[in-house]
Amino acid sequence: MTVLSTDTTQANRAAGLLAILKRAFLNALVALVLFSLMIGIRTEAGSTGQLTYWSRFGDLASLVGSVLGGTIVIELLRQWLGPVGAEKLVPPAVQRGAALAGRFLAPALLIFAIMVPVIFYNQRYILDLGILVLTYVMLGWGLNVVVGLAGLLDLGYVAFYAVGAYSYALLATNFGWSFWICLPLAGILAAMWGVMLGFPVLRLRGDYLAIVTLAFGEIIRLVIINWQSLTGGPNGVSGIPRPTLFGIPLDNSDDGLAAKLGIEFSPTHRIVFLFYLILALALLTNWVTIRLRRLPIGRAWEALREDEVACRALGINTTTTKLTAFATGAMFGGFAGAFFATRQGFISPESFTFQESALVLAIVVLGGMGSQLGVALAALSMIGGFELFRGLEGYRMLVFGWAMVLIMIWRPRGLIGHRAPTVYLKKAQAISSDLVKEGHG
Amino acid sequence: MSGDRILSVDQLTMRFGGIVAVQDLSFAAERHKITALIGPNGAGKTTVFNCITGFYRPTGGTIRLTHEDGKDIAIERLKDFRIAKQAKVARTFQNIRLFPGMTALENLMVAQHNVLMRASGLTFLGLIGVPSYRSAEKSAIDLATTWLKRVGLLERADEAAGNFAYGDQRRLEIARAMCTEPALLCLDEPAAGLNARESAALSELLLSIRNDLGTSILLIEHDMSVVMEISDHIVVMDHGVKIAQGTPREVRDDPKVIAAYLGADEEEAIAVMESGS
């Protein structure tokens, strides 16, 4: 019996190897056909305009060879790891360890964030990067209300970021209002635009909603570019006042903070102040979102994502529920925009392209829709990782793309895929992402 | 039918393009009673249901809901969510529509949205955590707990609704509808897909809802054992019109009903006749 079973395993293994080789050769053949014209032959216009061409069969061979080798490696890895999505047995000790680490991850991250200006006081680059990451954490948390909780796919989130930034920039430069008055105004104005966007898209779902929100983001940008008399058009708004610590400027003047405290002035003071400002704004966003999730409105958002028809049958006004989701998300975007304007001192329409919307949406999706910690981790890895790969220059986007593809294969529902219940009788049990709907738009 | 009416449907007509799904249908449901709407497949029962619960706007006719204090509400003029909110009509769905990614308890909390929304001062007071909202939330959890106990799902309160077995999901959906504290509970085929034991438990649950809470019930059902056992009044439809109504006994012996079922579906006709013996 034992001999027989060894024989069969050997036979199985041989068959498996044969299948891998077969697949590798097939892939190599496809690569050969595809690349033979794209890589194998190079054409160019000659000096007198005639067509010149030459062959690059060496490059072709190396590419086809790498496809062949790569397929074998990937297939072997796949055999070794087992099928994607299969339940794997994890020892209880490891599970407990992971749960413990998970519980302490959020507080540890928070403490680290608070300590960053202390640890890296002399490293301006790290502080600037920290501010950038926190801005995207805040934008991610804001968009998370719309996409993650209410399940409304919004591709034009940058519009509210722009409204917030221009609200502060124009109010501060034209009327000289202080940052602390303009900040809530920027939030309110952005929220109003959120409601205005919300009305026409109430009946839309899924792809249609995504396209209209995308267009809305572009409309705001085009209006900013073309309304030259108000916004300065493509030249943007410059000379935006820096924030003050409740009226005390953070500069080299006699009534500046450094002079008042009797310490030597350093430009780093302002950077540290900005860091704590965006940290506070991001934490406010987080706190409000966590509170809202446990209130009836937050539960209604999540119920809307799960099943809109059932919501209506339970007497929930889906119109106002959707509009409040849009308005809340937009308000946080507006806050972040006002912060962006005061940090940069100069804003122009170039900062508010579709790419920003896509990046924030990618952070929300990568983080695990609806998870606050996941969004923070995703912003850290996306923005931080992007900087980390800076040394790779031309290959940066390639590495970045690879990393995204791998994460989506291993964690298709984002870094933190499970959902925490908002209320419980005995024990809060995490809900598997397989059950949680993504929303229909 | 001269008793206290909660629902009066008068000359209800519903057309989809050229197709007449319901033609001049009139019937009434009495307060604190169970009324069943039966008929062969395609008779227009679910269309009537969707008109009553506001998912369709009827082409013609009126649907009037009378509250216990004598206030009349014209349902055909209300928007769908207002029917649940103001007219206090709750419904379940033929293909269950729970919130699968939320726990059983959360499902029942969502059902109490309007009460909690008022208590939370449209979110603003709730955000700062005023005590009145906390007590409102506590009583909402108590109501949800009571219903979870009634449908026998208290032990699984913190589990995702999507993980529940089919029969459990049906009962949870009824509990969710009841958490809106409705005057009229509309059930669309509540016994579909249930085994004999679960059907019996369902009959018991519906009878207890009528007897203990006095909630009026309107149901569509194919399972004749359930219909004949619990209904006080039965309305029979075929091809969009009413062909008979009365007590279970009257309906069972009505030749028109038997003919309708014989013409439509042999199995159901046998079920109707067998339930009589």
Side-chain angles (χ1 to χ4, degrees), chain A residues 8-297:
Chain A
T8 35
T9 15
Q10 268 175 357
N12 276 346
R13 195 168 292 164
L17 272 178
L18 207 65
I20 289 176
L21 281 178
K22 192 175 151 200
R23 173 170 281 201
F25 274 112
L26 261 176
N27 285 2
L29 190 70
V30 172
L32 180 69
V33 172
L34 273 177
F35 292 145
S36 58
L37 287 178
M38 286 161 59
I39 309 276
I41 296 169
R42 170 118 182 138
T43 56
E44 241 172 49
S47 50
T48 54
Q50 87 282 22
L51 182 74
T52 59
Y53 68 93
W54 61 94
S55 60
R56 299 190 295 187
F57 291 134
D59 292 350
L60 179 65
S62 64
L63 263 175
V64 172
S66 63
V67 168
L68 185 78
T71 313
I72 293 175
V73 169
I74 287 174
E75 288 297 319
L76 284 176
L77 268 180
R78 203 179 263 179
Q79 280 204 345
W80 178 55
L81 287 172
V84 172
E87 294 286 329
K88 293 189 186 66
L89 278 178
V90 182
V94 177
Q95 272 185 356
R96 240 173 294 142
L100 202 69
R103 200 170 317 143
F104 288 111
L105 188 56
L109 268 179
L110 179 62
I111 290 168
F112 176 71
I114 292 170
M115 295 295 285
V116 160
V118 181
I119 304 170
F120 301 104
Y121 185 75
N122 289 323
Q123 281 161 287
R124 171 89 193 253
Y125 172 70
I126 302 256
L127 288 180
D128 277 335
L129 183 59
I131 291 173
L132 192 66
V133 168
L134 283 174
T135 312
Y136 279 98
V137 168
M138 181 170 176
L139 285 171
W141 277 341
L143 185 61
N144 197 21
V145 171
V146 186
V147 179
L149 294 185
L152 303 161
L153 186 54
D154 185 352
L155 285 181
Y157 192 60
V158 77
F160 310 122
Y161 191 40
V163 167
Y166 271 88
S167 303
Y168 171 60
L170 295 175
L171 288 174
T173 51
N174 291 333
F175 304 115
W177 291 0
S178 98
F179 177 74
W180 299 102
I181 295 171
C182 294
L183 183 70
L185 282 177
I188 290 166
L189 279 168
M192 274 170 55
W193 279 102
V195 172
M196 281 177 75
L197 163 70
F199 265 113
V201 302
L202 277 174
R203 291 154 180 275
L204 302 180
R205 294 162 148 254
D207 312 351
Y208 303 97
L209 175 71
I211 289 171
V212 174
T213 52
L214 176 86
F216 183 77
E218 286 301 293
I219 288 170
I220 293 275
R221 196 171 63 87
L222 290 174
V223 166
I224 290 173
I225 290 178
N226 290 301
W227 196 353
Q228 294 231 4
S229 56
L230 181 73
T231 63
N235 300 327
V237 183
S238 55
I240 302 167
R242 301 298 189 169
T244 55
L245 187 66
F246 302 106
I248 308 170
L250 293 145
D251 57 14
N252 208 357
S253 62
D254 284 343
D255 52 355
L257 184 69
K260 286 214 168 146
L261 291 178
I263 53 173
E264 199 183 331
F265 172 76
S266 153
T268 315
H269 290 164
R270 190 168 55 82
I271 306 296
V272 171
F273 174 70
L274 283 172
F275 185 92
Y276 282 120
L277 177 61
I278 185 66
L279 184 64
L281 283 173
L283 288 178
L284 175 78
T285 310
N286 187 32
W287 180 80
V288 170
T289 312
I290 288 174
R291 288 299 297 242
L292 284 177
R293 257 197 89 205
R294 292 180 191 152
L295 285 170
I297 187 72

